[in-house]
Amino acid sequence: MPPHPWPLDDVDALIGVNPDVRLDPSITLLAVADRIESVGLSGGIAAGTRVDTIEGPKPVEQLAPGDLVQTMGHGFQPLRFVMIREVPALGACAPIRLRAPFFGLERDLMVSPQYRLLISGADAEYRFGTDSVLVEARYLATMAAYARTSKAATVKYVHLILDAHVCLSMQGAWGESLYLGDLATQPSRHAISPLASVQRDYLPVHTFIDSPALRS
C-alpha cells in the first residue's frame, strides 16, 4: 500500500516556513514529490545541447552507449551509459542559460546550476587565479547568464558516463562528464541513486579528475 501523503504543516516545517524548525547546514537541497524519488546526480546538460562526436555535433539526448564523443586529452572515447532525468525547472534544478561567446561558447548553453564547465586562460586567471578550473554554472551566472525567462514546468537533464571522468566538447566549450566516484563500490548509496537499475559491476569507478588539463 502506498504511504499516506504528508500533512501540509509538516512540509512547511521541513522547508523552513516554520521558524522553530532548522535543517542541518549540510543539506543543500530539499524537495517534495508524490512518489519515491532517487537522490543525487543533480548536475546535468539540458536536452538540446550539441555534443561533439566522431560523426559531428549531436543533440545530447540523442546520444547512446558506444557513441564516440570528443574528450579533452583523450581523443574520442565511447559513452558507457546515458541517463535522462526530467525534473521541475525550479529552485536548485532551474536551468541556467550561459550566453555565447562567453567562455568560448559558439552558441548559448543551458545546463543545471551544479553542472561544471572548464574555464581556462585569461578568464580563469582573472577570476580564479589558476590556469584552468572546473566551475559550477551558478557561479558563472553573474557575468554570462540570461535572466531566466523560460516558463516550462520541467527540464530534461542528460548525464553522460564514460570510463573516466573527463571533459567533453560541446558548443565551443568544455564541460565535465558525470563523476561517479566510488558509487559502484557502495551498495547502499547505489541502491537509492538514479543508477540503481544499472548493475554495479557495469559502472566505472572514477578518480577526480582524469583530464590532463586539470591535473595539478
XYZ file of all heavy atoms in Angstrom, residues 12-98:
634
model
N 5.611 22.301 5.329
C 6.003 23.687 5.616
C 7.130 23.739 6.635
O 8.078 24.524 6.508
C 4.804 24.482 6.145
C 3.804 24.825 5.057
O 4.170 24.704 3.869
O 2.669 25.192 5.382
N 7.048 22.894 7.646
C 8.088 22.872 8.677
C 9.427 22.451 8.088
O 10.471 23.037 8.382
C 7.681 21.938 9.819
N 9.417 21.446 7.219
C 10.663 20.941 6.637
C 11.340 21.954 5.732
O 12.566 22.051 5.689
C 10.386 19.657 5.855
C 10.270 18.380 6.680
C 9.814 17.236 5.799
C 11.617 18.038 7.311
N 10.574 22.723 4.990
C 11.195 23.660 4.048
C 11.457 25.020 4.672
O 11.865 25.953 3.997
C 10.336 23.830 2.775
C 8.958 24.430 3.098
C 10.192 22.515 2.053
C 8.107 24.684 1.870
N 11.242 25.148 5.971
C 11.680 26.356 6.651
C 10.634 27.411 6.874
O 10.949 28.509 7.335
N 9.361 27.112 6.538
C 8.314 28.098 6.803
C 8.146 28.300 8.302
O 7.912 29.404 8.785
C 6.982 27.652 6.157
C 5.857 28.588 6.559
C 7.132 27.601 4.640
N 8.299 27.220 9.046
C 8.209 27.298 10.500
C 9.561 27.757 11.060
O 10.567 27.052 10.931
C 7.851 25.917 11.063
C 7.629 25.938 12.569
O 8.083 26.848 13.265
N 6.941 24.928 13.068
N 9.635 28.934 11.659
C 10.927 29.446 12.150
C 11.526 28.624 13.281
O 12.708 28.756 13.585
C 10.580 30.865 12.622
C 9.118 30.820 12.922
C 8.531 29.861 11.932
N 10.724 27.758 13.910
C 11.238 26.940 15.005
C 11.920 25.666 14.516
O 12.483 24.916 15.306
C 10.095 26.562 15.959
C 9.500 27.792 16.637
O 10.267 28.728 16.930
O 8.274 27.803 16.849
N 11.857 25.409 13.190
C 12.472 24.211 12.625
C 13.651 24.621 11.764
O 13.546 25.513 10.930
C 11.454 23.413 11.775
C 12.134 22.213 11.121
C 10.283 22.975 12.639
N 14.809 23.999 11.990
C 16.005 24.322 11.230
C 16.593 23.051 10.629
O 16.738 22.036 11.315
C 17.062 24.989 12.120
C 16.659 26.372 12.632
C 16.676 27.394 11.497
N 16.354 28.733 11.997
C 15.147 29.239 12.045
N 14.118 28.510 11.635
N 14.933 30.458 12.494
N 16.949 23.113 9.342
C 17.615 21.997 8.701
C 19.101 22.024 9.016
O 19.677 23.073 9.296
C 17.429 22.083 7.178
C 16.006 21.886 6.645
C 15.990 22.115 5.144
C 15.492 20.492 6.966
N 19.714 20.871 8.962
C 21.163 20.795 9.138
C 21.835 21.617 8.038
O 21.426 21.553 6.872
C 21.608 19.331 9.040
C 23.067 19.163 9.393
O 23.916 19.518 8.545
O 23.365 18.669 10.493
N 22.855 22.405 8.356
C 23.521 23.258 7.347
C 24.118 22.476 6.183
O 24.340 23.036 5.108
C 24.623 23.961 8.159
C 24.145 23.917 9.569
C 23.381 22.638 9.709
N 24.389 21.186 6.384
C 24.981 20.394 5.310
C 23.970 20.026 4.227
O 24.351 19.591 3.136
C 25.599 19.109 5.875
O 24.597 18.267 6.429
N 22.670 20.204 4.470
C 21.638 19.884 3.484
C 21.565 21.010 2.467
O 21.342 22.170 2.800
C 20.270 19.689 4.158
C 20.306 18.478 5.097
C 19.165 19.502 3.110
C 19.037 18.273 5.883
N 21.790 20.678 1.189
C 21.805 21.681 0.133
C 20.553 21.662 -0.737
O 20.329 22.577 -1.514
C 23.028 21.487 -0.769
O 22.987 20.164 -1.332
C 24.319 21.665 0.016
N 19.754 20.618 -0.648
C 18.565 20.527 -1.489
C 17.489 19.740 -0.767
O 17.752 18.688 -0.194
C 18.896 19.822 -2.815
C 17.711 19.560 -3.758
C 17.117 20.867 -4.244
C 18.152 18.704 -4.937
N 16.274 20.277 -0.789
C 15.123 19.585 -0.227
C 13.962 19.738 -1.197
O 13.662 20.847 -1.648
C 14.748 20.180 1.137
C 13.450 19.647 1.750
C 13.616 18.181 2.143
C 13.054 20.475 2.957
N 13.337 18.628 -1.556
C 12.199 18.670 -2.461
C 11.149 17.685 -1.978
O 11.451 16.744 -1.246
C 12.639 18.320 -3.883
N 9.928 17.903 -2.393
C 8.813 17.037 -2.016
C 8.183 16.502 -3.298
O 7.912 17.260 -4.231
C 7.773 17.812 -1.189
C 6.599 16.893 -0.843
C 8.412 18.376 0.075
N 7.971 15.184 -3.353
C 7.387 14.560 -4.536
C 6.205 13.692 -4.124
O 6.047 13.355 -2.949
C 8.438 13.703 -5.262
N 5.386 13.339 -5.109
C 4.229 12.487 -4.832
C 4.554 11.008 -5.050
O 3.676 10.167 -5.106
C 3.039 12.905 -5.701
C 3.328 12.841 -7.189
O 4.467 12.442 -7.552
O 2.431 13.178 -7.979
N 5.841 10.690 -5.201
C 6.300 9.306 -5.320
C 7.726 9.224 -4.778
O 8.379 10.243 -4.576
C 6.273 8.849 -6.779
C 7.180 9.662 -7.696
C 7.015 9.239 -9.145
N 7.917 9.962 -10.023
C 7.639 11.137 -10.566
N 6.486 11.737 -10.306
N 8.508 11.736 -11.369
N 8.199 8.014 -4.558
C 9.566 7.835 -4.072
C 10.551 8.224 -5.170
O 10.429 7.782 -6.314
C 9.803 6.382 -3.634
C 8.908 6.057 -2.428
C 11.267 6.151 -3.286
C 8.982 4.616 -1.992
N 11.496 9.088 -4.842
C 12.467 9.573 -5.806
C 13.868 9.167 -5.389
O 14.176 9.076 -4.204
C 12.409 11.111 -5.906
C 11.142 11.658 -6.542
C 11.153 11.542 -8.056
O 12.177 11.064 -8.611
O 10.156 11.918 -8.692
N 14.730 8.929 -6.383
C 16.139 8.674 -6.107
C 16.826 9.993 -5.774
O 16.295 11.073 -6.014
C 16.806 8.024 -7.325
O 16.568 8.813 -8.484
N 18.016 9.919 -5.207
C 18.733 11.120 -4.798
C 20.083 11.166 -5.487
O 20.640 10.153 -5.909
C 18.927 11.169 -3.266
C 17.595 11.232 -2.558
C 19.735 9.968 -2.783
N 20.630 12.397 -5.598
C 21.944 12.581 -6.169
C 21.903 12.899 -7.649
O 20.846 13.001 -8.276
N 23.086 13.089 -8.235
C 23.269 13.368 -9.658
C 22.496 14.598 -10.105
O 21.738 14.572 -11.056
C 22.859 12.157 -10.513
C 23.453 10.810 -10.137
C 23.070 9.767 -11.181
C 24.951 10.864 -9.999
N 22.709 15.704 -9.420
C 21.930 16.901 -9.716
C 22.423 17.662 -10.941
O 21.648 18.297 -11.637
C 21.928 17.837 -8.501
O 23.255 18.124 -8.102
N 23.737 17.640 -11.203
C 24.272 18.408 -12.323
C 24.060 17.702 -13.639
O 24.338 16.505 -13.765
N 23.567 18.419 -14.658
C 23.318 17.782 -15.941
C 23.302 18.784 -17.081
O 23.295 20.000 -16.879
N 23.294 18.246 -18.293
C 23.270 19.039 -19.523
C 21.843 19.044 -20.048
O 21.227 17.978 -20.196
C 24.205 18.423 -20.579
C 25.607 18.191 -19.998
C 24.269 19.296 -21.821
C 26.465 17.257 -20.837
N 21.295 20.215 -20.330
C 19.912 20.293 -20.790
C 19.766 19.702 -22.182
O 20.649 19.838 -23.041
C 19.434 21.740 -20.774
N 18.645 19.016 -22.403
C 18.342 18.471 -23.722
C 18.401 19.582 -24.767
O 17.990 20.721 -24.510
C 16.955 17.817 -23.711
N 18.917 19.269 -25.930
C 19.092 20.250 -26.998
C 20.532 20.687 -27.171
O 20.915 21.182 -28.242
N 21.351 20.510 -26.137
C 22.769 20.844 -26.228
C 23.450 19.910 -27.227
O 23.218 18.706 -27.227
C 23.448 20.698 -24.855
O 22.821 21.586 -23.936
C 24.932 21.017 -24.937
N 24.320 20.467 -28.072
C 25.005 19.674 -29.084
C 26.408 19.309 -28.593
O 27.217 20.187 -28.293
C 25.053 20.428 -30.407
C 23.645 20.731 -30.950
C 23.673 21.476 -32.263
N 24.115 20.644 -33.363
C 23.354 19.777 -34.019
N 22.087 19.602 -33.650
N 23.827 19.082 -35.018
N 26.654 18.017 -28.513
C 27.935 17.484 -28.046
C 28.717 16.984 -29.258
O 28.151 16.340 -30.160
C 27.715 16.336 -27.041
C 29.040 15.684 -26.653
C 27.011 16.867 -25.800
N 30.021 17.262 -29.303
C 30.848 16.875 -30.439
C 31.149 15.375 -30.393
O 31.660 14.857 -29.388
C 32.150 17.667 -30.450
C 31.911 19.135 -30.749
O 31.012 19.428 -31.561
O 32.607 19.988 -30.169
N 30.829 14.682 -31.485
C 31.091 13.252 -31.610
C 31.956 13.020 -32.841
O 32.213 13.932 -33.635
C 29.778 12.451 -31.749
O 29.280 12.604 -33.090
C 28.730 12.936 -30.756
N 32.374 11.786 -33.042
C 33.203 11.462 -34.202
C 32.434 11.661 -35.505
O 33.023 11.809 -36.585
C 33.742 10.021 -34.090
C 34.957 9.840 -34.993
C 32.639 9.007 -34.373
C 35.744 8.582 -34.711
N 31.104 11.702 -35.418
C 30.251 11.920 -36.591
C 29.774 13.364 -36.682
O 28.930 13.686 -37.509
C 29.053 10.977 -36.536
C 29.438 9.501 -36.574
C 28.246 8.592 -36.426
O 27.168 9.087 -36.020
O 28.368 7.388 -36.709
N 30.308 14.232 -35.826
C 29.888 15.631 -35.803
C 29.017 15.918 -34.596
O 28.688 15.007 -33.814
N 28.608 17.179 -34.417
C 27.788 17.545 -33.253
C 26.430 16.844 -33.284
O 25.794 16.751 -34.328
C 27.632 19.066 -33.397
C 28.738 19.489 -34.299
C 28.957 18.359 -35.242
N 26.004 16.352 -32.103
C 24.702 15.705 -31.974
C 23.997 16.219 -30.733
O 24.651 16.491 -29.713
C 24.854 14.182 -31.866
C 25.252 13.477 -33.139
C 25.221 11.966 -32.937
C 25.540 11.205 -34.205
N 25.478 9.742 -33.993
N 22.658 16.341 -30.765
C 21.924 16.692 -29.543
C 22.197 15.667 -28.456
O 22.168 14.456 -28.708
C 20.458 16.668 -29.987
C 20.508 16.891 -31.465
C 21.767 16.210 -31.927
N 22.465 16.152 -27.262
C 22.900 15.257 -26.186
C 21.880 14.172 -25.877
O 22.242 13.038 -25.538
C 23.236 16.088 -24.927
C 21.984 16.777 -24.364
C 23.896 15.238 -23.864
N 20.595 14.479 -26.036
C 19.560 13.484 -25.721
C 19.484 12.370 -26.771
O 18.829 11.346 -26.545
C 18.201 14.151 -25.565
C 17.599 14.725 -26.829
C 18.059 16.146 -27.144
O 19.090 16.579 -26.596
O 17.371 16.822 -27.938
N 20.164 12.546 -27.921
C 20.168 11.507 -28.956
C 21.387 10.593 -28.862
O 21.514 9.643 -29.634
C 20.109 12.161 -30.335
C 18.812 12.899 -30.611
C 18.761 13.510 -32.003
O 19.567 13.199 -32.880
N 17.799 14.395 -32.214
N 22.281 10.859 -27.930
C 23.460 10.018 -27.768
C 23.084 8.691 -27.113
O 22.112 8.600 -26.360
C 24.508 10.744 -26.931
C 25.074 12.028 -27.544
C 26.053 12.685 -26.577
C 25.751 11.745 -28.888
N 23.904 7.670 -27.386
C 23.635 6.335 -26.860
C 24.952 5.683 -26.455
O 26.026 6.075 -26.915
C 22.926 5.494 -27.921
N 24.901 4.684 -25.574
C 26.114 3.959 -25.199
C 26.867 3.465 -26.430
O 26.265 2.963 -27.383
C 25.590 2.795 -24.358
C 24.313 3.323 -23.773
C 23.714 4.178 -24.849
N 28.191 3.645 -26.419
C 29.015 3.252 -27.552
C 29.352 4.390 -28.479
O 30.336 4.315 -29.237
N 28.559 5.477 -28.480
C 28.880 6.638 -29.307
C 30.225 7.219 -28.873
O 30.526 7.313 -27.677
C 27.801 7.715 -29.182
C 26.534 7.360 -29.937
O 26.559 6.390 -30.712
O 25.522 8.062 -29.750
N 31.031 7.640 -29.856
C 32.343 8.213 -29.579
C 32.222 9.725 -29.467
O 31.823 10.400 -30.420
C 33.333 7.838 -30.686
C 33.631 6.338 -30.828
C 34.515 6.083 -32.045
C 34.298 5.809 -29.562
N 32.560 10.265 -28.298
C 32.468 11.708 -28.056
C 33.864 12.293 -27.873
O 34.797 11.609 -27.436
C 31.603 11.997 -26.810
C 30.151 11.629 -27.061
C 32.131 11.258 -25.581
N 34.005 13.581 -28.237
C 35.296 14.248 -28.147
C 35.613 14.615 -26.700
O 34.828 15.294 -26.034
C 35.288 15.526 -28.995
C 36.572 16.333 -28.950
C 37.727 15.611 -29.625
O 37.658 15.309 -30.811
N 38.780 15.338 -28.873
N 36.761 14.154 -26.207
C 37.173 14.457 -24.844
C 38.472 15.251 -24.859
O 39.229 15.215 -25.838
C 37.382 13.174 -24.015
O 38.548 12.486 -24.493
C 36.174 12.265 -24.109
N 38.738 15.954 -23.784
C 39.972 16.720 -23.676
C 41.105 15.799 -23.230
O 41.042 15.185 -22.157
C 39.812 17.861 -22.672
C 41.095 18.630 -22.394
S 40.824 20.104 -21.395
C 40.186 21.223 -22.624
N 42.146 15.708 -24.062
C 43.332 14.948 -23.710
C 43.246 13.463 -23.963
O 44.234 12.749 -23.804
N 42.057 12.957 -24.340
C 41.901 11.516 -24.557
C 41.304 11.188 -25.922
O 40.948 10.032 -26.168
C 41.022 10.910 -23.466
C 41.572 11.051 -22.084
N 42.523 10.205 -21.561
C 41.316 11.970 -21.112
C 42.828 10.579 -20.313
N 42.106 11.642 -20.032
N 41.157 12.185 -26.800
C 40.573 11.939 -28.109
C 39.113 11.543 -28.017
O 38.390 11.942 -27.092
N 38.670 10.754 -28.974
C 37.280 10.279 -28.968
C 37.171 9.034 -28.091
O 37.932 8.080 -28.250
C 36.806 9.970 -30.391
C 36.614 11.187 -31.238
C 37.604 11.581 -32.127
C 35.466 11.945 -31.132
C 37.441 12.713 -32.911
C 35.289 13.088 -31.900
C 36.280 13.477 -32.797
N 36.210 9.065 -27.160
C 36.015 7.965 -26.230
C 34.553 7.516 -26.250
O 33.651 8.335 -26.446
C 36.408 8.381 -24.816
C 37.882 8.679 -24.638
C 38.734 7.432 -24.790
O 38.338 6.349 -24.356
N 39.917 7.576 -25.399
N 34.292 6.219 -26.040
C 32.903 5.729 -26.076
C 32.150 6.054 -24.793
O 32.719 6.052 -23.702
C 33.075 4.215 -26.227
C 34.401 3.925 -25.577
C 35.276 5.124 -25.862
N 30.879 6.328 -24.964
C 30.000 6.508 -23.818
C 29.707 5.153 -23.192
O 29.435 4.179 -23.888
C 28.691 7.170 -24.242
C 28.770 8.640 -24.667
C 27.447 9.076 -25.267
C 29.134 9.523 -23.485
N 29.749 5.100 -21.874
C 29.406 3.867 -21.152
C 27.898 3.810 -20.906
O 27.281 2.765 -21.024
C 30.156 3.818 -19.833
C 29.758 2.663 -18.909
C 30.267 1.326 -19.375
N 31.697 1.207 -19.184
C 32.273 0.707 -18.096
N 31.510 0.272 -17.106
N 33.569 0.622 -18.008
N 27.319 4.974 -20.553
C 25.903 4.994 -20.193
C 25.372 6.411 -20.369
O 26.111 7.388 -20.176
C 25.718 4.542 -18.736
C 24.303 4.267 -18.346
C 23.658 3.127 -18.773
C 23.608 5.156 -17.545
C 22.333 2.875 -18.416
C 22.290 4.921 -17.181
C 21.657 3.763 -17.625
N 24.105 6.510 -20.757
C 23.430 7.803 -20.904
C 22.157 7.761 -20.074
O 21.352 6.834 -20.216
C 23.092 8.109 -22.380
C 22.351 9.441 -22.490
C 24.355 8.121 -23.229
N 21.983 8.745 -19.213
C 20.789 8.793 -18.382
C 20.094 10.133 -18.577
O 20.754 11.185 -18.602
C 21.149 8.608 -16.910
C 19.923 8.556 -16.000
S 20.388 8.311 -14.277
C 21.255 9.841 -13.957
N 18.785 10.098 -18.726
C 17.982 11.319 -18.875
C 17.005 11.397 -17.710
O 16.289 10.431 -17.427
C 17.220 11.328 -20.217
C 18.199 11.236 -21.391
C 16.373 12.594 -20.326
C 17.517 11.176 -22.746
N 16.998 12.539 -17.047
C 16.058 12.756 -15.936
C 15.265 14.031 -16.202
O 15.830 15.060 -16.597
C 16.796 12.899 -14.613
C 17.565 11.669 -14.182
C 18.094 11.844 -12.771
N 17.043 11.730 -11.778
C 17.157 12.116 -10.519
N 18.272 12.692 -10.098
N 16.164 11.955 -9.661
N 13.974 13.966 -15.993
C 13.104 15.146 -16.110
C 12.733 15.596 -14.704
O 12.210 14.822 -13.911
C 11.849 14.831 -16.915
C 10.998 16.064 -17.195
C 9.881 15.793 -18.189
O 9.702 14.617 -18.573
O 9.202 16.755 -18.582
N 13.045 16.848 -14.409
C 12.836 17.380 -13.064
C 12.118 18.727 -13.156
O 12.100 19.364 -14.206
C 14.188 17.553 -12.321
C 14.878 16.204 -12.135
C 15.096 18.527 -13.071
N 11.519 19.194 -12.057
C 10.902 20.518 -12.057
C 11.940 21.599 -12.363
O 13.062 21.567 -11.847
C 10.353 20.664 -10.634
C 10.206 19.260 -10.146
C 11.313 18.483 -10.777
N 11.590 22.536 -13.200
C 12.504 23.622 -13.574
C 12.430 24.744 -12.546
O 12.175 25.910 -12.866
C 12.167 24.137 -14.963
N 12.648 24.382 -11.297
C 12.501 25.317 -10.184
C 13.670 25.165 -9.221
O 14.328 24.127 -9.173
C 11.195 25.044 -9.434
C 9.893 25.206 -10.214
C 8.734 24.636 -9.396
C 9.645 26.664 -10.543
N 13.891 26.191 -8.418
C 14.870 26.127 -7.341
C 16.237 25.689 -7.815
O 16.763 26.200 -8.814
N 16.829 24.714 -7.106
C 18.162 24.244 -7.434
C 18.209 23.477 -8.751
O 19.293 23.182 -9.250
C 18.686 23.360 -6.303
N 17.046 23.152 -9.320
C 17.003 22.439 -10.595
C 16.731 23.368 -11.779
O 16.756 22.925 -12.930
C 15.932 21.352 -10.565
S 16.260 20.022 -9.396
N 16.456 24.632 -11.515
C 16.147 25.574 -12.589
C 17.360 25.750 -13.498
O 18.473 25.998 -13.018
C 15.739 26.923 -12.005
N 17.201 25.606 -14.819
C 18.353 25.677 -15.723
C 18.936 27.085 -15.820
O 18.240 28.077 -15.627
C 17.769 25.240 -17.066
C 16.316 25.586 -16.974
C 15.936 25.361 -15.534
N 20.222 27.125 -16.113
C 20.932 28.379 -16.363
C 21.348 28.396 -17.829
O 21.932 27.431 -18.323
C 22.179 28.510 -15.463
C 21.746 28.703 -14.014
C 23.076 29.659 -15.918
C 22.891 28.768 -13.030
N 21.028 29.486 -18.529
C 21.421 29.616 -19.936
C 22.625 30.553 -20.011
O 22.508 31.767 -19.787
C 20.268 30.172 -20.777
C 20.605 30.256 -22.274
C 19.456 30.855 -23.070
N 18.274 30.020 -23.041
C 18.056 29.010 -23.865
N 18.942 28.713 -24.796
N 16.950 28.296 -23.769
N 23.785 29.986 -20.306
C 25.017 30.769 -20.437
C 25.123 31.299 -21.857
O 24.917 30.567 -22.829
C 26.226 29.905 -20.093
C 26.267 29.372 -18.652
C 27.437 28.413 -18.470
C 26.370 30.513 -17.652
